[in-house]
Amino acid sequence: MGNINSNEITVKVNVSIKEMQEILIDKGFKLSDEFTCEDNYFIPSNLDIKKKEIRDIIKKAIIIRKVRNDKVLVFKKKNINENGDIVEQEKFECDILDIDKAKKFLEAIGYKSIMNIFEKDICYSKDGLGLALKNIKNGDNLMEVETRNIEGFRNTKELKEKLLKLNLPIDTNNFFVKKAEVELEKVILGENNG
């Protein structure tokens, strides 16, 4: 089982993914990777999503993730301050062989599927700085930057400063967009309206 510590920044992109790609290329960034990611979120079956805060629901989620041909179970622990900033994050991963069997296993131990998030990621890098554009199906366009493996960035404050210097068309009101919380809110609103 992998245990990965990282701090990350995730911001909303104010233009299309195609426009952001052109801007990054103009700024000297090079395409470094492209892939798809599908996350299926499972929560305890007895958890009443109408009576819990979204953040408290996500804290209990186990994710079945498929990236390319890799399949893993993921559990995240995030330390989030009162401003909603992710101060620290820890991620635990366990490889799995079969997604359908993993779903059946989680259901057998009392979990239910709550939502599925599908995204296309397009990654760019320059001078050790990596940016991942995330095109979320039926969701926002996001950009994620992680401090892990980036030389010279010890914390998210330094990363924010570097990102701001790039002068990119991003929403600077929130450097810690939590896509799972955004998508879960849509699920809960859909249930309340349905």
Side-chain angles (χ1 to χ4, degrees):
M1 178 163 86
N3 177 359
I4 302 162
N5 286 306
S6 75
N7 285 316
E8 64 186 29
I9 286 177
T10 304
V11 293
K12 187 175 174 185
V13 175
N14 292 334
V15 294
S16 72
I17 293 291
K18 187 174 177 10
E19 287 173 283
M20 184 59 95
Q21 286 181 271
E22 292 168 0
I23 291 166
L24 291 175
I25 291 167
D26 285 346
K27 290 184 178 285
F29 282 82
K30 303 286 184 213
L31 181 67
S32 58
D33 201 3
E34 287 187 71
F35 58 91
T36 59
C37 177
E38 184 172 3
D39 286 345
N40 197 333
Y41 284 74
F42 282 77
I43 60 169
S45 297
N46 61 359
L47 195 64
D48 186 348
I49 64 172
K50 293 177 182 144
K51 293 183 178 175
K52 288 273 189 193
E53 293 291 324
I54 288 174
R55 191 161 291 156
D56 292 333
I57 297 167
I58 295 295
K59 281 182 185 177
K60 301 204 182 302
I62 295 175
I63 306 163
I64 296 177
R65 173 170 288 165
K66 182 178 180 196
V67 178
R68 295 183 182 96
N69 292 321
D70 296 330
K71 298 174 277 294
V72 293
L73 284 178
V74 179
F75 180 75
K76 294 182 177 185
K77 290 169 79 174
K78 294 183 181 185
N79 181 1
I80 301 172
N81 69 17
E82 62 279 354
N83 297 327
D85 296 354
I86 299 170
V87 178
E88 186 179 24
Q89 174 172 267
E90 196 172 11
K91 180 168 60 172
F92 300 88
E93 293 183 345
C94 177
D95 293 336
I96 56 175
L97 300 174
D98 185 294
I99 287 178
D100 288 331
K101 286 182 180 176
K103 288 178 181 179
K104 287 177 183 167
F105 177 85
L106 288 175
E107 289 166 356
I109 62 169
Y111 281 74
K112 65 180 179 182
S113 177
I114 186 74
M115 67 178 171
N116 188 288
I117 300 175
F118 183 85
E119 67 185 55
K120 291 182 181 178
D121 286 36
I122 306 166
C123 304
Y124 286 86
S125 62
K126 176 184 173 186
D127 301 329
L129 181 65
L131 308 174
L133 299 177
K134 298 178 166 294
N135 185 353
I136 312 293
K137 184 177 182 180
N138 300 320
D140 294 326
N141 292 330
L142 303 175
M143 184 170 63
E144 182 179 281
V145 188
E146 288 192 22
T147 58
R148 184 184 57 194
N149 299 329
I150 299 177
E151 190 90 14
F153 297 107
R154 294 183 303 273
N155 55 48
T156 54
K157 183 176 184 253
E158 292 174 3
L159 201 53
K160 276 188 211 178
E161 291 169 4
K162 176 69 174 172
L163 201 52
L164 288 170
K165 285 179 184 172
L166 290 172
N167 198 26
L168 298 171
I170 57 173
D171 182 353
T172 57
N173 292 317
N174 184 358
F175 284 91
F176 299 96
V177 174
K178 296 154 201 77
K179 70 181 176 193
E181 291 183 14
V182 171
E183 295 304 313
L184 182 56
E185 186 172 0
K186 292 179 192 174
V187 168
I188 292 170
L189 289 173
E191 281 193 7
N192 289 341
N193 293 331

